[in-house]
Amino acid sequence: MVGGLVGLLLGAAGATGVAFASPGQLGPFAAPTTAQQARGDNSGVGGVGGVGLPATTTEPTLIAPTTTEPTTTTTTAATTTSTETTTTTTEPTTAPPTTTTTTVPPVSQQQRVVDLVNEARAAAGCGALKVDDRVVRAAQGHSDDMSARDYFSHETPEGVDFAARMRAAGYPEPGGENIAKGQRTPEAVMRAWMNSDGHRRNILNCRFAVIGVGLAADGWYWTQNFGW
């Protein structure tokens, strides 16, 4: 490989490679960092409708008959008819709630590698790595380039190493890189890396803070980039 880079052939399991920013930066385990916790708020509003009062009703007046002689005189009572008015208030119509179905996208193979890395780090007492888009761009670009130009190395054919690629992607503090070829699942590539001392040291370096993972499925080229 160009520039004396390290590569490891794992037979049918595929090949892997490891690179470090510098040997002196690989210190012992440190205490895990405190993860930030996201918060969310939910609130709702409601209302009630009003009810109208009934109108007043007047009863008819009855006039008693008057008698003056032994003979009987009949007086017809006058009847007053009142009309009752009813006020009707229509309750507001409430539409039934709309049911929204949320489809959770499947976890990408790159994200699965990140999850496995953080599981291994947690078991070793290290804090979780955060995914940084700049580091992802550097890692994915290297996987794509190895696949397109059919090489397997930490350096491009022009001699550009991982640190230069990460800085070119906008990340100022490159820390390390793991590469692999041929493993078809996140679990397989993680087993290969964790069974190699150099790769495992990158994954379990408690001082690293960020990660980016790239995968080119044409040839199954994997890249892990780590940053301080």
Side-chain angles (χ1 to χ4, degrees):
M1 297 181 183
V2 179
L5 296 172
V6 180
L8 177 63
L9 181 63
L10 297 179
T16 60
V18 60
F20 309 107
S22 69
Q25 289 177 304
L26 293 174
F29 288 161
T33 58
T34 301
Q36 294 179 340
Q37 295 182 352
R39 294 186 302 171
D41 294 319
N42 265 332
S43 61
V45 294
V48 294
V51 179
L53 298 177
T56 301
T57 301
T58 302
E59 292 292 336
T61 300
L62 299 180
I63 302 174
T66 301
T67 305
T68 56
E69 296 294 333
T71 56
T72 302
T73 304
T74 302
T75 305
T76 303
T79 303
T80 303
T81 304
S82 65
T83 303
E84 181 179 355
T85 303
T86 303
T87 302
T88 303
T89 301
T90 303
E91 294 285 348
T93 302
T94 303
T98 302
T99 302
T100 303
T101 302
T102 302
T103 301
V104 179
V107 175
S108 69
Q109 297 197 69
Q110 293 93 321
Q111 181 59 49
R112 177 60 178 157
V113 169
V114 173
D115 293 341
L116 292 172
V117 165
N118 282 334
E119 287 177 12
R121 288 172 65 86
C126 296
L129 296 174
K130 296 179 182 179
V131 175
D132 187 287
D133 290 342
R134 298 166 294 179
V135 182
V136 172
R137 283 197 299 271
Q140 187 61 52
H142 190 50
S143 289
D144 290 341
D145 191 49
M146 288 191 293
S147 175
R149 298 201 281 172
D150 193 24
Y151 72 94
F152 181 64
S153 172
H154 290 288
E155 292 186 357
T156 69
E158 296 77 23
V160 180
D161 65 8
F162 80 92
R165 292 192 301 271
M166 289 178 68
R167 290 191 182 99
Y171 192 80
E173 296 183 285
E177 179 177 83
N178 289 345
I179 60 175
K181 177 184 177 182
Q183 296 84 359
R184 292 176 176 264
T185 66
E187 289 75 15
V189 74
M190 277 296 292
R191 279 195 300 269
W193 281 330
M194 291 297 286
N195 286 330
S196 168
D197 180 65
H199 303 88
R200 185 171 61 252
R201 288 171 66 194
N202 267 347
I203 291 170
L204 300 183
N205 188 332
C206 289
R207 295 173 60 195
F208 285 155
V210 299
I211 188 174
V213 178
L215 169 62
D218 185 5
W220 296 95
Y221 289 86
W222 303 80
T223 303
Q224 278 181 330
N225 283 148
F226 303 90
W228 305 105

Short mmCIF file of all heavy atoms in Angstrom, two decimals, residues 72-132:
data_model
loop_
_atom_site.label_atom_id
_atom_site.label_comp_id
_atom_site.label_asym_id
_atom_site.label_seq_id
_atom_site.Cartn_x
_atom_site.Cartn_y
_atom_site.Cartn_z
N THR A 72 -130.65 32.71 35.67
CA THR A 72 -129.21 32.51 35.46
C THR A 72 -128.77 33.17 34.17
O THR A 72 -129.39 32.97 33.13
CB THR A 72 -128.87 31.00 35.40
OG1 THR A 72 -129.30 30.39 36.62
CG2 THR A 72 -127.41 30.80 35.21
N THR A 73 -127.72 33.99 34.31
CA THR A 73 -127.12 34.62 33.13
C THR A 73 -125.71 34.03 32.95
O THR A 73 -124.92 33.97 33.90
CB THR A 73 -127.02 36.15 33.30
OG1 THR A 73 -128.34 36.66 33.57
CG2 THR A 73 -126.43 36.80 32.09
N THR A 74 -125.43 33.67 31.75
CA THR A 74 -124.12 33.05 31.47
C THR A 74 -123.22 34.05 30.74
O THR A 74 -123.65 34.64 29.74
CB THR A 74 -124.28 31.79 30.61
OG1 THR A 74 -125.13 30.87 31.31
CG2 THR A 74 -122.94 31.14 30.34
N THR A 75 -122.05 34.25 31.25
CA THR A 75 -121.06 35.12 30.60
C THR A 75 -119.89 34.26 30.10
O THR A 75 -119.36 33.42 30.83
CB THR A 75 -120.53 36.18 31.58
OG1 THR A 75 -121.64 36.92 32.12
CG2 THR A 75 -119.55 37.11 30.89
N THR A 76 -119.58 34.46 28.88
CA THR A 76 -118.48 33.67 28.30
C THR A 76 -117.14 34.35 28.60
O THR A 76 -116.96 35.54 28.36
CB THR A 76 -118.64 33.55 26.77
OG1 THR A 76 -119.94 32.95 26.51
CG2 THR A 76 -117.55 32.72 26.16
N ALA A 77 -116.28 33.62 29.17
CA ALA A 77 -114.96 34.17 29.51
C ALA A 77 -114.16 34.43 28.24
O ALA A 77 -114.20 33.65 27.28
CB ALA A 77 -114.19 33.21 30.41
N ALA A 78 -113.50 35.57 28.28
CA ALA A 78 -112.63 35.90 27.14
C ALA A 78 -111.31 35.15 27.29
O ALA A 78 -110.73 35.09 28.37
CB ALA A 78 -112.39 37.40 27.08
N THR A 79 -110.87 34.60 26.25
CA THR A 79 -109.62 33.82 26.28
C THR A 79 -108.53 34.54 25.49
O THR A 79 -108.73 34.92 24.35
CB THR A 79 -109.85 32.42 25.67
OG1 THR A 79 -110.91 31.78 26.41
CG2 THR A 79 -108.58 31.59 25.72
N THR A 80 -107.40 34.73 26.15
CA THR A 80 -106.25 35.36 25.49
C THR A 80 -105.21 34.28 25.21
O THR A 80 -104.83 33.51 26.11
CB THR A 80 -105.64 36.44 26.38
OG1 THR A 80 -106.66 37.41 26.70
CG2 THR A 80 -104.47 37.13 25.71
N THR A 81 -104.82 34.22 24.00
CA THR A 81 -103.84 33.20 23.60
C THR A 81 -102.46 33.83 23.46
O THR A 81 -102.32 34.87 22.81
CB THR A 81 -104.24 32.55 22.26
OG1 THR A 81 -105.57 32.01 22.41
CG2 THR A 81 -103.27 31.46 21.88
N SER A 82 -101.52 33.27 24.10
CA SER A 82 -100.14 33.78 23.97
C SER A 82 -99.32 32.81 23.12
O SER A 82 -99.57 31.61 23.12
CB SER A 82 -99.50 33.94 25.35
OG SER A 82 -99.36 32.68 25.98
N THR A 83 -98.41 33.38 22.43
CA THR A 83 -97.54 32.56 21.57
C THR A 83 -96.19 32.39 22.25
O THR A 83 -95.57 33.35 22.68
CB THR A 83 -97.35 33.24 20.20
OG1 THR A 83 -98.63 33.45 19.62
CG2 THR A 83 -96.48 32.40 19.30
N GLU A 84 -95.76 31.14 22.38
CA GLU A 84 -94.48 30.85 23.03
C GLU A 84 -93.38 30.85 21.98
O GLU A 84 -93.50 30.24 20.92
CB GLU A 84 -94.53 29.48 23.74
CG GLU A 84 -93.23 29.14 24.45
CD GLU A 84 -93.33 27.79 25.15
OE1 GLU A 84 -94.41 27.21 25.15
OE2 GLU A 84 -92.32 27.34 25.68
N THR A 85 -92.33 31.57 22.29
CA THR A 85 -91.19 31.64 21.39
C THR A 85 -90.01 30.90 22.02
O THR A 85 -89.68 31.13 23.19
CB THR A 85 -90.78 33.09 21.13
OG1 THR A 85 -91.91 33.80 20.60
CG2 THR A 85 -89.62 33.18 20.15
N THR A 86 -89.44 30.02 21.29
CA THR A 86 -88.29 29.23 21.79
C THR A 86 -87.06 29.60 20.99
O THR A 86 -87.08 29.61 19.75
CB THR A 86 -88.57 27.72 21.66
OG1 THR A 86 -89.78 27.43 22.38
CG2 THR A 86 -87.41 26.90 22.20
N THR A 87 -86.01 29.95 21.69
CA THR A 87 -84.74 30.26 21.04
C THR A 87 -83.86 29.01 21.06
O THR A 87 -83.64 28.40 22.12
CB THR A 87 -84.02 31.39 21.78
OG1 THR A 87 -84.86 32.53 21.81
CG2 THR A 87 -82.70 31.75 21.09
N THR A 88 -83.41 28.62 19.91
CA THR A 88 -82.60 27.40 19.79
C THR A 88 -81.16 27.77 19.46
O THR A 88 -80.91 28.55 18.54
CB THR A 88 -83.13 26.48 18.69
OG1 THR A 88 -84.51 26.17 18.99
CG2 THR A 88 -82.30 25.19 18.58
N THR A 89 -80.22 27.25 20.22
CA THR A 89 -78.80 27.47 19.95
C THR A 89 -78.18 26.19 19.43
O THR A 89 -78.33 25.13 20.05
CB THR A 89 -78.07 27.91 21.24
OG1 THR A 89 -78.68 29.11 21.72
CG2 THR A 89 -76.58 28.15 20.98
N THR A 90 -77.54 26.29 18.31
CA THR A 90 -76.93 25.10 17.70
C THR A 90 -75.53 24.88 18.27
O THR A 90 -74.71 25.80 18.28
CB THR A 90 -76.83 25.28 16.18
OG1 THR A 90 -78.13 25.54 15.66
CG2 THR A 90 -76.23 24.04 15.52
N GLU A 91 -75.29 23.69 18.79
CA GLU A 91 -73.96 23.36 19.32
C GLU A 91 -72.95 23.31 18.17
O GLU A 91 -73.26 22.88 17.07
CB GLU A 91 -74.00 21.98 19.99
CG GLU A 91 -74.86 21.92 21.23
CD GLU A 91 -74.20 22.60 22.40
OE1 GLU A 91 -72.99 22.89 22.28
OE2 GLU A 91 -74.86 22.84 23.41
N PRO A 92 -71.72 23.78 18.43
CA PRO A 92 -70.71 23.69 17.37
C PRO A 92 -70.41 22.24 17.03
O PRO A 92 -70.40 21.37 17.90
CB PRO A 92 -69.49 24.39 18.00
CG PRO A 92 -69.72 24.29 19.48
CD PRO A 92 -71.21 24.36 19.66
N THR A 93 -70.22 21.99 15.78
CA THR A 93 -69.91 20.63 15.32
C THR A 93 -68.41 20.40 15.39
O THR A 93 -67.62 21.18 14.86
CB THR A 93 -70.37 20.43 13.87
OG1 THR A 93 -71.78 20.70 13.82
CG2 THR A 93 -70.09 19.02 13.39
N THR A 94 -68.02 19.35 16.09
CA THR A 94 -66.60 19.01 16.23
C THR A 94 -66.26 17.87 15.30
O THR A 94 -66.86 16.79 15.37
CB THR A 94 -66.27 18.61 17.68
OG1 THR A 94 -66.65 19.69 18.55
CG2 THR A 94 -64.79 18.31 17.84
N ALA A 95 -65.29 18.11 14.41
CA ALA A 95 -64.88 17.06 13.47
C ALA A 95 -64.10 16.00 14.22
O ALA A 95 -63.39 16.28 15.18
CB ALA A 95 -64.00 17.67 12.37
N PRO A 96 -64.27 14.74 13.85
CA PRO A 96 -63.52 13.67 14.51
C PRO A 96 -62.03 13.87 14.30
O PRO A 96 -61.60 14.41 13.29
CB PRO A 96 -64.03 12.39 13.81
CG PRO A 96 -64.56 12.88 12.49
CD PRO A 96 -65.09 14.25 12.74
N PRO A 97 -61.21 13.48 15.29
CA PRO A 97 -59.76 13.67 15.15
C PRO A 97 -59.21 12.89 13.97
O PRO A 97 -59.67 11.80 13.64
CB PRO A 97 -59.21 13.11 16.48
CG PRO A 97 -60.29 12.19 16.97
CD PRO A 97 -61.59 12.79 16.52
N THR A 98 -58.22 13.49 13.32
CA THR A 98 -57.58 12.84 12.18
C THR A 98 -56.43 11.98 12.68
O THR A 98 -55.58 12.43 13.44
CB THR A 98 -57.03 13.90 11.20
OG1 THR A 98 -58.13 14.73 10.78
CG2 THR A 98 -56.38 13.24 9.99
N THR A 99 -56.41 10.74 12.26
CA THR A 99 -55.36 9.82 12.66
C THR A 99 -54.20 9.91 11.67
O THR A 99 -54.39 9.73 10.47
CB THR A 99 -55.88 8.37 12.69
OG1 THR A 99 -56.98 8.31 13.61
CG2 THR A 99 -54.79 7.41 13.13
N THR A 100 -53.02 10.25 12.19
CA THR A 100 -51.84 10.37 11.35
C THR A 100 -50.93 9.17 11.56
O THR A 100 -50.58 8.84 12.70
CB THR A 100 -51.07 11.66 11.67
OG1 THR A 100 -51.95 12.77 11.50
CG2 THR A 100 -49.84 11.82 10.78
N THR A 101 -50.57 8.51 10.50
CA THR A 101 -49.68 7.35 10.57
C THR A 101 -48.27 7.80 10.24
O THR A 101 -48.03 8.36 9.17
CB THR A 101 -50.13 6.26 9.59
OG1 THR A 101 -51.47 5.88 9.91
CG2 THR A 101 -49.20 5.05 9.68
N THR A 102 -47.34 7.57 11.17
CA THR A 102 -45.95 7.94 10.97
C THR A 102 -45.13 6.71 10.61
O THR A 102 -45.16 5.72 11.33
CB THR A 102 -45.35 8.58 12.23
OG1 THR A 102 -46.14 9.73 12.57
CG2 THR A 102 -43.90 8.99 12.01
N THR A 103 -44.45 6.78 9.48
CA THR A 103 -43.62 5.67 9.05
C THR A 103 -42.18 5.94 9.49
O THR A 103 -41.60 6.95 9.12
CB THR A 103 -43.67 5.51 7.52
OG1 THR A 103 -45.02 5.28 7.13
CG2 THR A 103 -42.80 4.34 7.07
N VAL A 104 -41.63 5.05 10.30
CA VAL A 104 -40.26 5.20 10.77
C VAL A 104 -39.33 4.59 9.73
O VAL A 104 -39.45 3.41 9.41
CB VAL A 104 -40.06 4.51 12.13
CG1 VAL A 104 -38.61 4.64 12.59
CG2 VAL A 104 -41.03 5.08 13.15
N PRO A 105 -38.42 5.39 9.17
CA PRO A 105 -37.53 4.84 8.16
C PRO A 105 -36.60 3.80 8.75
O PRO A 105 -36.24 3.87 9.93
CB PRO A 105 -36.75 6.07 7.66
CG PRO A 105 -36.81 7.03 8.80
CD PRO A 105 -38.13 6.80 9.46
N PRO A 106 -36.21 2.81 7.97
CA PRO A 106 -35.28 1.80 8.49
C PRO A 106 -33.93 2.42 8.80
O PRO A 106 -33.51 3.40 8.19
CB PRO A 106 -35.19 0.79 7.34
CG PRO A 106 -35.56 1.58 6.11
CD PRO A 106 -36.56 2.59 6.56
N VAL A 107 -33.24 1.85 9.78
CA VAL A 107 -31.92 2.33 10.15
C VAL A 107 -30.94 1.96 9.05
O VAL A 107 -30.89 0.81 8.60
CB VAL A 107 -31.48 1.72 11.49
CG1 VAL A 107 -30.05 2.11 11.83
CG2 VAL A 107 -32.43 2.14 12.60
N SER A 108 -30.15 2.93 8.59
CA SER A 108 -29.17 2.65 7.55
C SER A 108 -28.05 1.78 8.10
O SER A 108 -27.84 1.68 9.32
CB SER A 108 -28.58 3.96 7.01
OG SER A 108 -27.77 4.58 8.00
N GLN A 109 -27.32 1.15 7.20
CA GLN A 109 -26.21 0.30 7.64
C GLN A 109 -25.12 1.14 8.29
O GLN A 109 -24.47 0.69 9.25
CB GLN A 109 -25.65 -0.49 6.44
CG GLN A 109 -26.68 -1.45 5.85
CD GLN A 109 -26.06 -2.50 4.96
OE1 GLN A 109 -25.35 -3.39 5.43
NE2 GLN A 109 -26.31 -2.40 3.66
N GLN A 110 -24.94 2.36 7.81
CA GLN A 110 -23.96 3.24 8.44
C GLN A 110 -24.35 3.58 9.87
O GLN A 110 -23.51 3.56 10.78
CB GLN A 110 -23.79 4.52 7.61
CG GLN A 110 -23.15 4.30 6.25
CD GLN A 110 -24.20 4.10 5.15
OE1 GLN A 110 -25.22 3.43 5.37
NE2 GLN A 110 -23.96 4.68 3.98
N GLN A 111 -25.64 3.90 10.07
CA GLN A 111 -26.10 4.23 11.43
C GLN A 111 -26.01 3.01 12.34
O GLN A 111 -25.71 3.14 13.53
CB GLN A 111 -27.53 4.76 11.39
CG GLN A 111 -28.09 5.16 12.76
CD GLN A 111 -27.27 6.23 13.44
OE1 GLN A 111 -26.96 7.26 12.82
NE2 GLN A 111 -26.92 6.03 14.71
N ARG A 112 -26.24 1.84 11.79
CA ARG A 112 -26.13 0.62 12.59
C ARG A 112 -24.69 0.43 13.08
O ARG A 112 -24.47 0.02 14.22
CB ARG A 112 -26.59 -0.58 11.75
CG ARG A 112 -26.45 -1.93 12.45
CD ARG A 112 -27.25 -2.01 13.74
NE ARG A 112 -27.13 -3.31 14.36
CZ ARG A 112 -27.34 -3.54 15.65
NH1 ARG A 112 -27.68 -2.54 16.46
NH2 ARG A 112 -27.20 -4.74 16.15
N VAL A 113 -23.72 0.75 12.23
CA VAL A 113 -22.33 0.68 12.66
C VAL A 113 -22.09 1.66 13.81
O VAL A 113 -21.43 1.32 14.81
CB VAL A 113 -21.37 0.98 11.49
CG1 VAL A 113 -19.94 1.16 11.99
CG2 VAL A 113 -21.41 -0.16 10.47
N VAL A 114 -22.61 2.88 13.69
CA VAL A 114 -22.47 3.86 14.77
C VAL A 114 -23.07 3.32 16.06
O VAL A 114 -22.47 3.44 17.14
CB VAL A 114 -23.13 5.20 14.38
CG1 VAL A 114 -23.13 6.16 15.56
CG2 VAL A 114 -22.42 5.83 13.19
N ASP A 115 -24.24 2.72 15.97
CA ASP A 115 -24.89 2.17 17.17
C ASP A 115 -24.04 1.08 17.81
O ASP A 115 -23.89 1.03 19.04
CB ASP A 115 -26.27 1.61 16.80
CG ASP A 115 -27.25 2.69 16.38
OD1 ASP A 115 -27.01 3.87 16.69
OD2 ASP A 115 -28.26 2.34 15.72
N LEU A 116 -23.46 0.21 16.98
CA LEU A 116 -22.62 -0.87 17.50
C LEU A 116 -21.34 -0.31 18.13
O LEU A 116 -20.86 -0.81 19.15
CB LEU A 116 -22.27 -1.86 16.39
CG LEU A 116 -23.44 -2.69 15.85
CD1 LEU A 116 -23.02 -3.48 14.62
CD2 LEU A 116 -23.98 -3.64 16.92
N VAL A 117 -20.78 0.72 17.51
CA VAL A 117 -19.60 1.37 18.08
C VAL A 117 -19.92 1.93 19.47
O VAL A 117 -19.17 1.72 20.43
CB VAL A 117 -19.09 2.50 17.15
CG1 VAL A 117 -18.10 3.41 17.89
CG2 VAL A 117 -18.43 1.92 15.91
N ASN A 118 -21.04 2.62 19.59
CA ASN A 118 -21.39 3.22 20.88
C ASN A 118 -21.76 2.18 21.92
O ASN A 118 -21.54 2.39 23.12
CB ASN A 118 -22.51 4.24 20.69
CG ASN A 118 -22.00 5.55 20.11
OD1 ASN A 118 -20.83 5.90 20.28
ND2 ASN A 118 -22.87 6.27 19.41
N GLU A 119 -22.30 1.04 21.49
CA GLU A 119 -22.55 -0.05 22.44
C GLU A 119 -21.23 -0.57 22.99
O GLU A 119 -21.09 -0.83 24.20
CB GLU A 119 -23.32 -1.17 21.75
CG GLU A 119 -24.78 -0.85 21.47
CD GLU A 119 -25.48 -1.97 20.71
OE1 GLU A 119 -24.90 -3.08 20.60
OE2 GLU A 119 -26.60 -1.74 20.19
N ALA A 120 -20.24 -0.75 22.10
CA ALA A 120 -18.93 -1.24 22.55
C ALA A 120 -18.26 -0.21 23.45
O ALA A 120 -17.62 -0.58 24.46
CB ALA A 120 -18.06 -1.53 21.33
N ARG A 121 -18.40 1.07 23.12
CA ARG A 121 -17.79 2.10 23.96
C ARG A 121 -18.44 2.17 25.33
O ARG A 121 -17.77 2.35 26.35
CB ARG A 121 -17.90 3.45 23.24
CG ARG A 121 -16.97 3.58 22.04
CD ARG A 121 -17.24 4.85 21.26
NE ARG A 121 -16.94 6.05 22.03
CZ ARG A 121 -15.74 6.61 22.11
NH1 ARG A 121 -14.71 6.06 21.47
NH2 ARG A 121 -15.55 7.71 22.83
N ALA A 122 -19.76 2.02 25.37
CA ALA A 122 -20.45 2.04 26.66
C ALA A 122 -19.97 0.90 27.55
O ALA A 122 -19.77 1.07 28.76
CB ALA A 122 -21.96 1.97 26.44
N ALA A 123 -19.78 -0.27 26.95
CA ALA A 123 -19.31 -1.42 27.72
C ALA A 123 -17.90 -1.20 28.26
O ALA A 123 -17.52 -1.76 29.29
CB ALA A 123 -19.36 -2.68 26.85
N ALA A 124 -17.11 -0.37 27.56
CA ALA A 124 -15.75 -0.09 27.98
C ALA A 124 -15.65 1.16 28.86
O ALA A 124 -14.56 1.52 29.29
CB ALA A 124 -14.85 0.10 26.75
N GLY A 125 -16.78 1.79 29.13
CA GLY A 125 -16.79 2.97 29.97
C GLY A 125 -16.53 4.28 29.25
O GLY A 125 -16.23 5.29 29.89
N CYS A 126 -16.66 4.28 27.93
CA CYS A 126 -16.45 5.49 27.13
C CYS A 126 -17.77 6.16 26.80
O CYS A 126 -18.81 5.50 26.72
CB CYS A 126 -15.73 5.16 25.81
SG CYS A 126 -14.06 4.51 26.02
N GLY A 127 -17.72 7.46 26.56
CA GLY A 127 -18.92 8.18 26.15
C GLY A 127 -19.26 7.89 24.70
O GLY A 127 -18.42 7.46 23.90
N ALA A 128 -20.53 8.12 24.35
CA ALA A 128 -21.00 7.87 22.98
C ALA A 128 -20.41 8.90 22.02
O ALA A 128 -20.23 10.07 22.37
CB ALA A 128 -22.52 7.92 22.93
N LEU A 129 -20.11 8.45 20.82
CA LEU A 129 -19.65 9.35 19.76
C LEU A 129 -20.86 9.99 19.08
O LEU A 129 -21.88 9.33 18.88
CB LEU A 129 -18.83 8.58 18.72
CG LEU A 129 -17.52 7.97 19.20
CD1 LEU A 129 -16.90 7.12 18.10
CD2 LEU A 129 -16.55 9.05 19.66
N LYS A 130 -20.73 11.25 18.70
CA LYS A 130 -21.78 11.94 17.97
C LYS A 130 -21.46 11.90 16.48
O LYS A 130 -20.30 12.03 16.08
CB LYS A 130 -21.89 13.39 18.43
CG LYS A 130 -22.31 13.53 19.88
CD LYS A 130 -22.37 15.00 20.27
CE LYS A 130 -22.73 15.16 21.74
NZ LYS A 130 -22.76 16.59 22.14
N VAL A 131 -22.49 11.74 15.67
CA VAL A 131 -22.31 11.76 14.21
C VAL A 131 -22.16 13.20 13.77
O VAL A 131 -22.99 14.05 14.10
CB VAL A 131 -23.50 11.09 13.50
CG1 VAL A 131 -23.35 11.23 11.99
CG2 VAL A 131 -23.59 9.62 13.90
N ASP A 132 -21.10 13.48 13.03
CA ASP A 132 -20.85 14.82 12.50
C ASP A 132 -20.95 14.74 10.98
O ASP A 132 -20.27 13.91 10.35
CB ASP A 132 -19.47 15.31 12.93
CG ASP A 132 -19.23 16.77 12.54
OD1 ASP A 132 -19.03 17.03 11.33
OD2 ASP A 132 -19.22 17.64 13.44
#
